[in-house]
Amino acid sequence: MSSFDNMRTGATNSLLDVAGLRVGHSTSIGAGRRTGVTVVVAPRGGCVAGVDVRGAAPGTRETDLLDPRCLVDRVHAVVLSGGSAFGLAAADGVARALYAAGVGWPMGATGEVVPIVPAAVIFDLGRGGDFGAFPGADDGARAYAAATRSPAGDSAQMGTDDATRALESRAGARALGPIGAGTGAKAAGLAGGIGSASAVLPDGSTVAALVVVNAVGSPVDPATGELWAARHGLPGEFPPLERPASGEVAAYREERHTEMTAAGLLPGGATTIGVVATDASLTKAECAKLAAVGHDGIARGIDPAHTLLDGDTLFALATGERAAPGLADLLALHSAAARCVTRAIGHAMLAARTATLWPGTPAERVVRSYLDAFPSARPTAPTPVP
């Protein structure tokens, strides 16, 4: 029996199952905006961290610092944001809030600290109607405030309008779908968003992933209409989805062909980003490897992945609450991390919501969720027995 057969999900099946991590979201919908920021806040002392960038069009901050050859080995938060390169400014708001709290890399006297806040962004410009509407430092600060107001191991959200707050309330503590950095996300012509998943390994350690799905590649098998990721779920994790009807699959293939040959296909116009985390003790180099293996999970859940048009980036965090794993347990950790990324992609697609993107522009169109594009995939309710 493999180690995967002995795995189970954590209590929330999300990144929050790694004790000490907090997640906060700032979501902005309306007035030309459809974007947001998600922040993963480390325990006060920070986390050992690594990164792996596989896409050819990345938008990142502080990734060079995470090279194992470099000095600083801990980060205090990771920011995932919409807004393409403009959205990197959201990390400034998080860094300033951490500095105000006295959290950061010590540089001298008490309070003289520099917070280490790596970041990555997706391209969602214009999806709310205004190309110039993107997150900034204030949005990052709001996401950080949402995270720090909730207990460790909980997720909080700060919306900017009633509709957003209602959506976030429905998402609850395990916020998924069009929220935070996933607000304006789309994937291969379908609505995207945030997904998360976790696994508790046989040795008792936990590994989890939070992913923002905004890909050029498809999360759907074009031959069957099934989600690639659903095949990798733990027993009973995903709803019992049906194979979609052939007509729905043919319609999706036609829409996908149109999108992939359209003149509007933009270099750098996509990207899947995220965080993989564990409570095990890892070195900086081991975190870099964990992030690298996590990309296998993207490739299982999205086809193709790591394209010229994506900036696929994964960060890895290790809180060090548990002992360093031996070789066999480290291999199991790697396997589980990749699977968590794939499963998180599946949850993002199932939590997505149909939305009108680029409203008020010539490009305006409805982008459907997976379950709205493939309504026959929804399980049929059993016929009541008289």
Side-chain angles (χ1 to χ4, degrees):
M1 181 177 290
S2 71
S3 58
F4 182 64
D5 294 325
N6 292 323
M7 290 180 194
R8 57 179 174 83
T9 67
T12 69
N13 196 21
S14 77
L15 193 73
L16 304 173
D17 290 328
V18 178
L21 297 183
R22 304 183 189 197
V23 178
H25 307 278
S26 175
T27 302
S28 185
I29 300 175
R33 295 169 66 88
R34 189 174 187 87
T35 190
V37 178
T38 294
V39 60
V40 178
V41 181
R44 187 175 181 88
C47 289
V48 179
V51 68
D52 194 276
V53 180
R54 295 286 178 91
T60 58
R61 159 180 163 147
E62 303 270 41
T63 52
D64 283 351
L65 173 148
L66 295 178
D67 186 312
R69 297 168 296 180
C70 294
L71 172 67
V72 175
D73 67 346
R74 289 182 173 265
V75 306
H76 303 97
V78 173
V79 170
L80 309 174
S81 180
S84 190
F86 300 109
L88 291 171
D92 292 342
V94 176
R96 291 174 186 176
L98 284 164
Y99 173 76
V103 176
W105 185 263
M107 296 299 296
T110 301
E112 294 180 348
V113 297
V114 177
I116 307 301
V117 185
V121 294
I122 68 166
F123 183 97
D124 59 5
L125 296 175
R127 292 181 186 167
D130 181 358
F131 191 90
F134 40 78
D138 290 346
D139 299 279
R142 281 193 289 269
Y144 174 81
T148 55
R149 279 205 307 271
S150 58
D154 194 11
S155 173
Q157 308 85 38
M158 292 189 68
T160 56
D161 55 33
D162 290 340
T164 300
R165 283 189 287 270
L167 180 144
E168 292 171 338
S169 175
R170 183 172 70 246
R174 186 173 167 270
L176 302 175
I179 193 169
T183 302
K186 70 181 188 72
L190 299 173
I194 282 183
S196 199
S198 70
V200 180
L201 280 65
D203 70 351
S205 60
T206 298
V207 62
L210 182 149
V211 179
V212 184
V213 181
N214 186 62
V216 166
S218 179
V220 172
D221 181 345
T224 68
E226 296 169 295
L227 288 172
W228 296 113
R231 304 168 185 178
H232 297 274
L234 292 173
E237 178 175 10
F238 292 111
L241 299 170
E242 304 288 344
R243 177 172 288 199
S246 59
E248 295 168 2
V249 177
Y252 173 73
R253 284 200 298 262
E254 180 62 28
E255 292 173 6
R256 177 70 170 148
H257 174 75
T258 299
E259 180 186 51
M260 292 299 288
T261 57
L265 194 60
L266 298 175
T271 293
T272 296
I273 57 177
V275 175
V276 180
T278 180
D279 56 4
S281 294
L282 300 179
T283 66
K284 192 176 179 182
E286 287 171 335
C287 281
K289 186 61 177 178
L290 185 67
V293 175
H295 277 279
D296 294 345
I298 295 179
R300 291 178 187 143
I302 297 170
D303 182 27
H306 313 137
T307 75
L308 289 171
L309 308 182
D310 294 280
D312 298 341
T313 300
L314 287 180
F315 297 96
L317 304 178
T319 65
E321 291 298 311
R322 297 180 61 85
L327 182 58
D329 289 334
L330 186 59
L331 288 174
L333 180 66
H334 287 171
S335 174
R339 291 177 182 270
C340 282
V341 170
T342 304
R343 292 162 48 215
I345 291 169
H347 287 298
M349 298 308 298
L350 291 174
R353 299 287 183 271
T354 296
T356 300
L357 302 188
W358 307 280
T361 74
E364 177 175 313
R365 66 186 177 94
V366 173
V367 176
R368 295 176 296 170
S369 69
Y370 173 77
L371 291 175
D372 285 345
F374 300 95
S376 62
R378 298 175 186 270
T380 303
T383 304
V385 177

